[in-house]
């Protein structure tokens, strides 16, 4: 089945508007999140995170780098990719406008003016290269991040155009000039280079989708095909890190730097969809499947190596040195969303659900002003939080920090959160598909143009009851498709025709609806033990606890020694007033010297007691603590 | 007990000559390795590794950097610490002369001339700083490695002086001028800085021991006390990385960059011994104990993080991303040796034995021309070897490489190997102590000046029989102390008085010996299973196999899937014609999707068969292979 988007150049707040695919995404004007888990985060994002990010970017000179095209900033500060943070902030602010939240048009216009002032007359725009006293344009394809930054500029401009700016928006004009410059420079007859960090591909395809300008799509396709031929210089991280070791079409699993690999794969899906290249689409889908099966943490986090922020080998997923960068979570959602729209395969919904609730929800502090760059699954030593005004230099572990030397993650999460309503519902051939559950109001047109409306009400993810109410319909039948997650064993569907058991998968309710009619999906939210694939050495002999879409963890704010924890896996976890509890004891080891011997060292054992667990996304919100997701079993 | 070295300024080939301590180290003129496991490696070291290293240093321009003091090398190549590799090579060549192996005096003189030509008139010597067009001297204490390089220069000069150069050797003159410059610059009234990489402390103390020049010792003590006060600039690796986060005296466990921490600790022991600072000595000994108990791999390797080459938290010892740098092994031996000499505690012998047989012996290829920088304990994907003329840029995993961009490890191992005879035997209050077993000839003076001689004959480490024969003695009693390792359960001692069972620890044979008299120690060499401390998450549910001092591993050169290996730990490992074998089966997993579920995924199981293991130090010598030390148990 193929749902063609009615107007691929239409203005409407949504990040991805493919020309074809199994599902048509809805815009922010068609779906609004009105309450609950994600609404609260969207409000914090608007009220705190966006101004926090702007404030740090001003303070660190990242916005100040956008001086005129002929004068380099004096003592430009920050890494080569700071421009992209400004663009991601612009994108996030645009989605916030599209969400109908905080009024940010004036701030967007001001920031657009700052950015526009730095653009050269030929369209080139980057604050670290090409001006007097700076390095030459494109003289450092490995680390320069020039095309990477341009890609984020294009995405920001598309967001702005689709959320009120329209085709005449000044930021879009900047982006078109920048994109034209990229096509002029790197086109079929130009420099045959690729950027050390994929991203331009995504921006170019979406700008094509917005403007209809075919050369942007062609250029994106060229970048996808050009990559993997080792045109980048040799580096001790290897070509793998830069996704330049082998062509996308010959790649069987995502590898190298996680964010680079995921952005490239997402861009390749965009190219495949727009050019009708089904083989490329299937190749990337297979890459993702294998990555999900062998290189993904329980949280949905990706990237297990600190040294190069990369995927490890298959099944190398250490909990205590998990990297799982926030940006890799955002990027994996971007990829899964594109694959979902293209294929309609509901597996991608579970991917998105898992990452949203266990990476994205974990990333940002309650106040919206601190965040994780990396997401360890095991904190062995309690770490003090940084002062509010102190930038963190390293990326790994530790408490949420107000800012990082490399702060890609906060604006990345911010742009996702502001646009999150777009990921809830799509239009398929016969009706609507509900992908994620939240309090929301939906008003859209079906594939055949008929206007329909719904509300969703749920206590998700704490409670599994989802009530869907039809608010607009005509007298012809259409379908509402609900998703029963794999974890929801024993789910039931309640309609006016009664109650019935439903298995995991897509549940299609096709009929003539009446306004006010309700469908209720009841997803059991019992806590459960989860065991890892035995090939994951790092978690052998351990269990995790999940409840609904949430991964849980043991967290010790005080003296509890989680290194000696043993969970009795013969007693299922239970809901308690405090959350979820398991039966556990502590094996206190004896005297220490050499830690390897003929048998396990003798240890004293405490009696088994009840141990409260907390949702993983709630960890490190009560001060310095130790934590572990994987619990050694008795 | 305290054995005072008879003449601390004496020339005699040995790396460490403390003024006091429980044990007096012997020189290369007093102990020679004459055959067996280590002799073969010493021969390869001399014949292949030393010229190989010189050839690469010439080819890469590292020796060429030593242009005159007023002219910077055109386009100086390599990192800031390449000078130190030249110095370590000079040190290794000097020990090779001391060993009585290859005649290298002319080559040493030539290289000394090259080095000396670059020294400034005030004694400063570093090829990357201070000359026209270069950065100012000591303008980058964090990464400049100037004092680090000087430390290695001092150690090289001491080695040369003690192996024939004497007090008038030109390299020693260069070193004294350099040391004087360091004292002038960083003395009590000078710049209060420390180098980002400890090492100068070791060089200064040993130069003091050789020359008697007290200010060198005082300067070393000052550097030890100055460190830990965060005088180095802020860096995203944190002060921890540079051992500058807390004073040595307040440190309870080694942390941060492993080689930095170990060099600093070794230098602190040197200072403590020479200044009579027993509290400092006890502090460092306690640091080492805790590091050994919580932060050391089964191989004795140290440092578990790739990202910053550092110790991880307690018990974070992932096998499949073990870092365990060769240099950290060499440095841990340096530290353990100093602690052994100071305290006489035989535990340090086992430390040295374990690291020698499982890190140092593993590091270098059979031909002496390729080496490991890092020592993984689990190779999941077979990696192709590099061409012989290709330098490896990254440090992690993979096959042995002919050279690395950072090639500290090869000359470090080379200098240890060339001087290895010094680590076999010491003089204590009443006689000789045998620390490591090898074919060797010993001829020395006891503490009271009496001349004695021994030979050792053994098939160690394959065979556990060690025969000690007295070759020189007078008619008064003295002692021969033999070491029974912890792993040698059931050891027996055979003397002219008969056979008796001996337990782990030091066995003192005190009597009037006759020339020709033999003592035979029989150490059982049965293979055994070893279990890890349960707090090491990475190896839970696994066993390792050891035999004598050797760690074994499963290695698959062909199709064997070691990820699905399960070892039957109820059947003890056995000696076979091929080596050591265990009973094992392979659990072939079923279809794959999400790798976490309610229970372990179903898998098909092969019948249990015999699986041959190889000594860890033999791995990756038969072409690309996968390998694992820790074997999942059934």
């Amino acid at each position: 089945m193929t749902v063609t988007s009615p107007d691929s150049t239409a203005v409407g707040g949504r990040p991805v508007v493919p020309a074809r695919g199994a599902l048509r995404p809805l815009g922010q004007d068609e779906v609004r999140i009105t309450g609950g888990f994600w609404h609260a985060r969207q409000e914090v994002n608007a009220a705190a995170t966006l101004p926090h990010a702007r404030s740090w970017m001003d303070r660190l000179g990242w916005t100040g780098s956008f001086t005129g095209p002929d004068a380099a900033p004096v003592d430009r500060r920050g890494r080569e990719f700071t421009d992209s943070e400004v663009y991601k902030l612009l994108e996030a602010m645009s989605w916030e406008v599209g969400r109908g939240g905080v009024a940010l048009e004036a701030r967007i216009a001001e920031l657009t003016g700052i950015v526009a002032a730095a653009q050269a007359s030929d369209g080139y725009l980057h604050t670290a290269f090409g001006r007097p006293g700076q390095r030459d344009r494109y003289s450092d394809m490995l680390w320069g991040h020039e095309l990477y930054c341009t890609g984020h500029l294009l995405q920001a401009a598309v967001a702005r155009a689709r959320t009120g700016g329209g085709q005449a928006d000044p930021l879009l004009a900047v982006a078109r000039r920048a994109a034209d410059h990229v096509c002029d420079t790197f086109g079929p007859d130009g420099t045959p280079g690729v950027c050390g960090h994929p991203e331009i591909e995504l921006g170019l395809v979406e700008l094509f989708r917005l403007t209809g300008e075919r050369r942007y799509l062609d250029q994106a396709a060229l970048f996808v095909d050009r990559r993997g031929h080792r045109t980048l210089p040799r580096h001790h991280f290897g070509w793998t890190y830069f996704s330049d070791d082998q062509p996308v079409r010959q790649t069987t699993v995502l590898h190298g730097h996680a964010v680079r690999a995921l952005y490239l794969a997402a861009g390749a899906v965009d190219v495949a969809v727009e050019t009708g290249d089904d083989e490329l689409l299937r190749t990337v889908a297979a890459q993702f499947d294998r990555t999900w099966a062998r290189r993904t943490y329980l949280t949905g986090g990706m990237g297990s190596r600190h040294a190069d922020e990369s995927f490890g080998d298959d099944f190398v997923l250490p909990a205590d040195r998990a990297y799982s960068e926030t940006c890799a979570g955002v990027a994996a959602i971007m990829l899964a969303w594109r694959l979902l729209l293209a294929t309609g395969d509901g597996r991608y919904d579970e991917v998105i659900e898992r990452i949203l609730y266990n990476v994205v929800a974990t990333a940002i502090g309650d106040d919206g002003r601190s965040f994780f760059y990396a997401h360890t699954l095991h904190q062995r030593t309690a770490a003090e939080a940084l002062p509010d005004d102190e930038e963190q230099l390293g990326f790994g572990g530790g408490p949420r920090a107000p800012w990082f030397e490399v702060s890609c993650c906060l604006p990345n999460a911010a742009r996702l959160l502001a646009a999150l309503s777009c990921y809830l519902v799509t239009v398929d051939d016969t009706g609507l598909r509900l992908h994620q559950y939240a309090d929301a109001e939906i008003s859209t047109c079906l594939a055949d143009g008929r206007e329909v409306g719904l509300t969703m009400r749920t206590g998700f993810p704490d409670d599994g009851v989802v009530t869907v109410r039809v608010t607009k319909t005509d007298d012809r039948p259409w379908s509402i498709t609900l998703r029963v997650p794999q974890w929801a064993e024993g789910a039931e569907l309640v309609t006016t025709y009664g109650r019935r058991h439903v298995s995991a998968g897509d549940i299609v309710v096709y009929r003539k609806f009446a306004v006010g009619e309700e469908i209720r999906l009841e997803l059991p939210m019992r806590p459960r033990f989860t065991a890892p694939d035995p090939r994951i050495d790092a978690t052998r002999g351990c269990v995790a606890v999940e409840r609904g879409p949430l991964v849980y963890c043991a967290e010790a704010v005080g003296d509890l020694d989680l290194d000696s924890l043993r969970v009795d896996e013969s007693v299922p976890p239970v809901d308690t007033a405090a959350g979820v509890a398991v039966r556990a004891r502590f094996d206190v080891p004896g005297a220490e010297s050499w830690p390897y011997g003929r048998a396990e060292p003798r240890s004293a054992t405490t009696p088994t007691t009840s141990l409260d667990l907390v949702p993983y996304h709630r960890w490190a919100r009560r001060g310095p603590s130790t934590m572990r997701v994987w619990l050694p079993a008795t």
Side-chain angles (χ1 to χ4, degrees), chain A:
Chain A
M1 69 184 162
T2 297
V3 178
T4 300
S5 182
D7 176 6
S8 64
T9 65
V11 176
R14 54 201 147 162
V16 187
V17 186
R20 63 188 189 100
L23 304 171
R24 179 176 74 80
L26 301 193
Q28 292 176 298
D29 49 342
E30 297 169 295
V31 195
R32 287 181 51 240
I33 299 176
T34 54
F37 189 90
W38 291 111
H39 184 257
R41 280 162 176 75
Q42 288 190 313
E43 295 289 303
V44 168
N45 188 51
T49 304
L50 298 182
H52 174 80
R54 175 63 196 266
S55 155
W56 271 92
M57 290 181 197
D58 288 351
R59 177 178 158 194
L60 294 176
W62 297 0
T63 47
S65 296
F66 287 89
T67 51
D70 301 322
V74 180
D75 191 23
R76 181 185 180 281
R77 287 156 65 196
R79 302 281 294 274
E80 292 92 342
F81 38 79
T82 57
D83 294 3
S84 73
E85 312 311 347
V86 177
Y87 302 146
K88 273 186 286 191
L89 176 60
L90 266 167
E91 183 184 341
M93 293 165 78
S94 299
W95 299 131
E96 178 57 22
V97 168
R99 190 178 76 93
V102 178
L104 291 170
E105 285 85 348
R107 288 179 180 276
I108 291 172
E110 176 242 344
L111 203 46
T112 297
I114 289 174
V115 166
Q119 189 166 37
S121 56
D122 63 355
Y124 178 85
L125 176 48
H126 194 283
T127 68
F129 292 89
R131 289 180 283 189
Q134 294 186 316
R135 287 181 285 169
D136 290 343
R137 295 173 177 181
Y138 306 120
S139 58
D140 182 6
M141 295 304 287
L142 201 65
W143 293 115
H145 285 82
E146 289 158 279
L147 295 176
Y148 168 83
C149 289
T150 304
H152 278 299
L153 170 65
L154 306 190
Q155 288 187 309
V158 168
R160 178 64 195 135
R162 287 184 183 151
T163 57
Q167 295 282 359
D169 186 78
L171 189 61
L172 182 59
V174 171
R176 291 193 68 144
R177 283 197 299 274
D180 289 339
H181 177 78
V182 169
C183 294
D184 292 344
T185 308
F186 293 95
D189 304 322
T191 310
V194 295
C195 183
H197 199 316
E199 158 65 26
I200 184 71
E201 300 81 4
L202 292 161
L204 283 169
V205 175
E206 213 59 41
L207 190 63
F208 155 72
R209 287 168 173 164
L210 179 79
T211 63
E213 179 62 58
R214 174 82 196 189
R215 72 187 301 215
Y216 300 153
L217 173 62
D218 293 342
Q219 185 64 47
L222 195 56
F223 279 136
V224 168
D225 282 336
R226 237 179 227 168
R227 191 170 283 274
H229 298 284
R230 308 193 177 195
T231 59
L232 289 169
R234 197 162 174 242
H235 184 273
H236 72 257
F237 281 166
W239 283 289
T240 306
Y241 174 90
F242 302 95
S243 293
D244 196 29
D245 57 322
Q246 57 185 203
V248 175
R249 291 167 197 277
Q250 292 168 25
T251 297
T252 57
V253 65
L254 297 179
H255 58 278
H257 186 272
V259 179
R260 281 172 167 80
L262 287 159
Y263 278 7
L264 177 63
V269 172
D270 282 340
V271 166
V273 166
E274 297 302 324
T275 61
D277 189 338
D278 290 341
E279 190 186 331
L280 179 59
L281 179 65
R282 278 193 299 271
T283 299
V284 178
Q287 291 169 12
F288 185 83
D289 281 351
R290 180 161 170 162
T291 304
W292 191 248
R294 293 175 169 236
R295 299 185 171 196
T296 304
Y297 282 103
L298 179 63
T299 53
M302 295 186 185
S304 66
R305 294 189 179 185
H306 278 246
D308 52 4
E309 308 190 312
S310 79
F311 289 100
D313 284 343
D314 287 351
F315 305 116
V316 180
L317 294 161
D320 47 20
R321 287 285 281 172
Y323 199 69
S324 179
E325 183 184 339
T326 300
C327 282
V330 172
I333 290 175
M334 288 165 60
L335 174 56
W337 179 243
R338 283 159 174 77
L339 290 168
L340 173 63
L341 293 179
T343 66
D345 189 332
R347 286 180 307 151
Y348 299 115
D349 285 327
E350 303 218 12
V351 169
I352 293 170
E353 177 184 87
R354 186 168 287 274
I355 301 172
L356 278 177
Y357 284 103
N358 299 294
V359 178
V360 177
T362 311
I364 300 180
D366 285 338
D367 65 0
R369 295 189 178 86
S370 61
F371 63 107
F372 281 132
Y373 189 106
H375 293 258
T376 187
L377 269 65
H378 185 178
Q379 180 84 22
R380 286 178 179 263
T381 309
E384 290 286 340
L386 285 176
D388 285 350
D389 59 349
E390 196 165 320
E391 176 191 27
Q392 187 150 313
L393 294 178
F395 319 138
R400 292 175 188 84
W403 202 252
F404 290 82
E405 185 187 15
V406 177
S407 266
C408 41
C409 294
L410 190 65
N412 218 349
R415 66 178 181 150
L416 175 65
L417 285 173
L420 195 65
S421 70
C422 303
Y423 296 84
L424 302 193
V425 185
T426 59
V427 173
D428 64 13
D429 279 344
T430 58
L432 297 186
R433 259 179 76 171
L434 309 186
H435 300 282
Q436 306 296 335
Y437 299 119
D439 283 359
E441 295 181 1
I442 298 113
S443 172
T444 186
C445 296
L446 300 183
D448 59 10
R450 295 150 60 198
E451 293 187 2
V452 296
L454 294 181
T455 61
M456 269 197 279
R457 292 289 177 272
T458 179
F460 212 77
D462 295 327
D463 179 71
V465 177
V466 181
T467 305
V468 178
R469 183 186 176 89
V470 177
T471 56
K472 183 188 265 187
T473 183
D474 59 15
D475 56 3
R476 283 175 291 161
W478 52 286
S479 63
I480 298 174
T481 303
L482 298 103
R483 176 174 68 89
V484 179
Q486 293 294 330
W487 50 258
E489 203 166 87
E492 297 193 330
L493 186 74
V494 183
T495 67
T496 47
Y497 297 97
R499 171 183 292 268
R500 67 182 172 102
H501 174 80
V502 285
S503 308
D506 293 329
I507 310 302
V508 183
V509 182
Y510 181 85
R511 72 169 64 133
K512 213 171 79 176
F513 291 104
V515 168
E517 184 174 345
E518 286 189 355
I519 299 170
R520 194 161 78 248
L521 181 64
E522 296 178 1
L523 304 172
M525 284 291 188
R526 281 184 297 276
R528 63 192 186 275
F529 281 129
T530 299
D533 187 298
R535 289 170 292 181
I536 303 171
D537 285 282
T539 52
R540 178 173 292 112
C542 291
V543 292
V545 173
E546 297 182 280
R547 182 180 184 280
L550 298 182
V551 173
Y552 275 66
C553 63
E555 185 181 21
V557 179
D559 286 336
L560 221 55
D561 175 19
L562 296 183
D563 279 348
S564 62
L565 175 68
R566 292 290 175 280
V567 166
D568 183 349
E569 78 277 30
S570 70
V571 182
V574 292
D575 277 318
T576 68
V580 166
V582 291
R583 298 296 298 178
R585 65 168 205 254
F586 293 87
D587 285 359
V588 186
E592 299 191 351
S593 52
W594 180 240
Y596 310 98
R598 284 195 171 71
E600 289 201 356
R602 279 224 303 268
S603 59
T605 287
T606 63
T608 303
T609 56
S610 177
L611 176 75
D612 289 326
L613 307 181
V614 297
Y616 177 67
H617 70 78
R618 296 297 311 157
W619 97 272
R621 298 185 194 264
R622 297 175 293 161
S625 64
T626 58
M627 179 276 297
R628 61 186 307 158
V629 166
W630 289 103
L631 313 173
T634 49

